[in-house]
Amino acid sequence: MEKKLAWQPLAMDQQWPAKVFDVHCTECPRLHAFHEQNREKFPGHFNGPVPPFGPANAELLIVGLAPGLHGANRSGRPFTGDYCGDLLYSTLHKYGFANRPVSLAVGDGMQLLNARVSNAVKCVPPENKPTPAEIKTCNQFIAHEFKVHPPKAVLALGLVGHQAVLKAMDQRQSAFKFGHAAEHDLGAFRLFDSYHVSRYNTQTGRLTVPMFEAVLESISHFLKA
Ligand code: SF4
């Protein structure tokens, strides 16, 4: 019997087949409970598993960490609703992967071009920290996404995204070390690493605009080659 939602999700950008994304998923009890709490506290928020954003046949897949409480968990679109997507979307626009530089909300006309954005963990975790068990449980979706919508290039934003990509591809973590601007040939696709575009990283200078643009430049060249 179909599970009933206790809430209504906002309009989705796209429908995804089961296993690539499941808006009804409640497999992580702690994250499900956190959604329930947040539905009470923030009834205007999306408060559900956040779907990937962008065309299914995109050659570039970007894998982040998890929705932010007042970002993707509010808007229902990855890296949208708070400052976290500012650098990401402006740079995607600069390199021709987006039709506009700012992602405001679902329904704002933003379109990704040959790129798709997803997260290692689809549900907002308390304090922005998913547990290893939650990362492992949610990995099923990324793994399936690689199978049914194989990308040519994957950009991992941060260590958790990098590890999730390796796990989904059944690769040894020790064989591919995370590092900003590192590139790894995984056979099926090339993995590009970047520090996460978080506010902490951009405000402290750990990740600067030129550093992030250099990674997108490499990806752009790789896809055109
Ligand atoms: S994090 Fe992933 S596996 Fe866990 S409940 Fe959310 S969608 Fe399901």
Side-chain angles (χ1 to χ4, degrees):
M1 199 162 104
E2 194 187 348
K3 280 184 256 175
K4 286 253 184 335
L5 287 172
W7 49 282
Q8 285 302 310
L10 304 180
M12 312 284 267
D13 287 282
Q14 184 166 335
Q15 293 300 315
W16 294 93
K19 292 199 175 254
V20 169
F21 175 72
D22 180 4
V23 73
H24 301 282
C25 184
T26 57
E27 286 192 44
C28 303
R30 186 182 76 119
L31 302 187
H32 179 55
F34 195 47
H35 275 150
E36 294 292 337
Q37 283 173 32
N38 288 324
R39 278 174 205 134
E40 300 270 318
K41 281 165 79 176
F42 310 110
H45 282 26
F46 180 79
N47 288 323
V50 175
F53 172 53
N57 61 353
E59 290 180 304
L60 171 61
L61 174 65
I62 299 161
V63 180
L65 169 58
L69 179 59
H70 301 299
N73 180 62
R74 177 161 73 92
S75 67
R77 178 190 288 170
F79 293 92
T80 300
D82 59 12
Y83 44 80
C84 210
D86 292 357
L87 177 58
L88 175 64
Y89 286 110
S90 64
T91 311
L92 288 176
H93 178 252
K94 178 167 181 175
Y95 286 89
F97 292 106
N99 70 337
R100 45 193 291 172
V102 181
S103 177
L104 296 171
V106 170
D108 63 358
M110 164 68 89
Q111 288 179 357
L112 291 186
L113 311 168
N114 203 22
R116 188 165 74 253
V117 185
S118 195
N119 275 314
V121 174
K122 305 285 189 278
C123 296
V124 58
E127 296 176 11
N128 216 24
K129 286 187 185 144
T131 65
E134 289 158 356
I135 295 169
K136 188 174 170 197
T137 305
C138 208
N139 199 256
Q140 60 183 306
F141 295 117
I142 291 275
H144 205 76
E145 194 165 351
F146 285 148
K147 282 188 193 132
V148 297
H149 304 304
K152 276 192 182 170
V154 174
L155 168 59
L157 297 177
L159 179 61
V160 173
H162 169 92
Q163 290 173 334
V165 171
L166 294 181
K167 179 166 178 45
M169 293 301 291
D170 218 10
Q171 297 282 353
R172 276 188 306 127
Q173 300 286 339
S174 58
F176 303 96
K177 199 165 182 271
F178 175 80
H180 180 77
E183 296 182 25
H184 313 277
D185 185 358
L186 297 193
F189 55 76
R190 181 166 285 262
L191 171 61
F192 296 79
D193 287 337
S194 169
Y195 292 140
H196 195 280
V197 292
S198 67
R199 187 182 214 181
Y200 177 83
N201 282 347
T202 52
Q203 284 195 335
T204 59
R206 181 175 169 83
L207 178 65
T208 63
V209 172
M211 282 168 72
F212 192 57
E213 287 185 350
V215 175
L216 263 295
E217 180 120 12
S218 297
I219 293 171
S220 207
H221 281 147
F222 172 74
L223 290 177
K224 283 178 188 154

